[in-house]
Amino acid sequence: AKNLGIGMVFQHFSLFEALTAAENIALSLDDGSPISTIAAKARALSYSYGLPLDPQSLVGDLSVGERQRIEIIRCLLQTPQL
């Protein structure tokens, strides 16, 4: 589906609570970018969509809404066709 430009944000989170937001996002990307690059892209994209996200925050410390933001930003970073 990813190759077709389709992204999915699932209702049930698939995040590791002991990792940061950026680390969780990096797990789903196949480009091998450094974590600092992924964090910068995630921060910029989150603010451009009005979903501010601190990529360095630990998922275990985040609210449900903030965790949903990670899922959305992770999907958007996979460049779906909008």
Side-chain angles (χ1 to χ4, degrees), residues 3-40:
N3 294 339
L4 299 175
I6 299 170
M8 294 194 61
V9 177
F10 295 97
Q11 183 174 351
H12 298 284
F13 304 136
S14 57
L15 300 171
F16 293 98
E17 291 193 4
L19 299 179
T20 66
E23 290 167 336
N24 271 281
I25 291 169
L27 290 174
S28 66
L29 301 177
D30 299 330
D31 63 4
S33 295
I35 194 74
S36 58
T37 301
I38 292 169

Side-chain angles (χ1 to χ4, degrees), residues 1-8 24-31 45 71-81:
K2 182 177 169 184
N3 294 339
L4 299 175
I6 299 170
M8 294 194 61
N24 271 281
I25 291 169
L27 290 174
S28 66
L29 301 177
D30 299 330
D31 63 4
L45 188 65
E71 296 281 7
I72 293 167
I73 298 305
R74 175 167 48 187
C75 181
L76 290 172
L77 282 173
Q78 295 175 7
T79 60
Q81 301 299 311

